[in-house]
Amino acid sequence: MQYMHDISHRNIEVLEDFLGTKVYMQHKCLVCTHVWKAKPNTILNGHGCPSCNTGGAPASREPSSLYLLRISTNQLRFLKVGYSKNVPSRMRGIKSDIKLHTDNAVSVDLLDKIEAMGDIIWNLEQRIHRKKKGLGLTQFLDASVIFNGFSEYYCYKDLDKLQSIFTEYKKELNNGIHSII
């Protein structure tokens, strides 16, 4: 079935027969085992497990984290900026996704993390992704081979810039600046 093939790299198991992209069906997260109902087109548009929060905007009043990861294989090294309610689970999911596309050893290391309510974290992440050119960041285009899309992946040479941005964001949060878009 095409839908199951299209999401086979996403650590999501389909638990019901496919009846169309707009018909709710049960899905199971292969990372945390959470079961939830979602429309296939929602999953195809990048949303994932609401427990791991591996896609889609986080719940606005739930604690979340903005993270900076270093991802390394024998052949590649790049950075990922993202948000999650469960960073260790998200890191396992990323590692699992990469292992589906390469036989190389994979390392996923947490370099920095900012914790706040989900709406604040989501806004911080969007600031980085929307202003990447103005911030002098370079997308890591080779990641598009491994993942669907590549807007959250940056070249390793941008590590100092991204760490500086994280430091700036932490100062903003400490100073009570929450309207950040």
Side-chain angles (χ1 to χ4, degrees), residues 3-4 7-17 24-40 43 47-54 89 93 96-97:
Y3 173 61
M4 290 175 17
I7 67 165
S8 63
H9 69 285
R10 301 268 315 279
N11 287 317
I12 297 172
E13 179 182 355
V14 178
L15 299 178
E16 296 180 315
D17 291 335
Y24 282 94
M25 56 191 300
Q26 284 194 328
H27 297 80
K28 179 179 180 180
C29 177
L30 299 178
V31 175
C32 74
T33 71
H34 177 71
V35 176
W36 78 102
K37 282 195 172 258
K39 295 176 184 177
I43 303 297
H47 291 259
C49 173
S51 181
C52 291
N53 198 25
T54 60
S89 175
S96 177
D97 282 349

Side-chain angles (χ1 to χ4, degrees), residues 2-3 11 21 27 30 40 44 63 74-75 77 79 88 93 106 116 131 154 173 176 180:
Q2 186 64 39
Y3 173 61
N11 287 317
T21 59
H27 297 80
L30 299 178
L44 291 169
N74 295 346
Q75 300 172 340
R77 187 166 69 167
L79 303 167
V106 178
K131 298 180 179 182
Y154 298 98
L173 288 172
I180 42 188

Side-chain angles (χ1 to χ4, degrees), residues 11 40 50 69 136 141 145 157:
N11 287 317
L69 303 177
L141 300 180
V145 174
K157 70 177 182 63

Side-chain angles (χ1 to χ4, degrees), residues 41-139:
N41 64 348
T42 302
I43 303 297
L44 291 169
N45 285 329
H47 291 259
C49 173
S51 181
C52 291
N53 198 25
T54 60
S60 62
R61 299 312 315 157
E62 292 188 42
S64 298
S65 299
L66 179 69
Y67 58 78
L68 173 60
L69 303 177
R70 176 181 50 227
I71 302 172
S72 306
T73 70
N74 295 346
Q75 300 172 340
L76 302 171
R77 187 166 69 167
F78 54 98
L79 303 167
K80 178 178 179 3
V81 173
Y83 64 83
S84 180
K85 292 186 285 185
N86 186 337
V87 175
S89 175
R90 181 67 180 123
M91 290 171 65
R92 286 189 302 274
I94 290 167
K95 190 171 186 175
S96 177
D97 282 349
I98 295 170
K99 284 185 175 183
L100 291 173
H101 298 279
T102 181
D103 292 329
N104 295 322
V106 178
S107 171
V108 179
D109 303 301
L110 179 64
L111 301 178
D112 206 344
K113 179 170 73 168
I114 299 171
E115 296 178 323
M117 289 297 132
D119 55 345
I120 294 168
I121 292 301
W122 186 79
N123 286 335
L124 290 173
E125 184 206 29
Q126 293 303 302
R127 249 173 96 185
I128 291 173
H129 298 323
R130 285 186 192 143
K131 298 180 179 182
K132 59 185 152 260
K133 288 183 182 176
L135 296 170
L137 300 173
T138 307
Q139 287 181 320

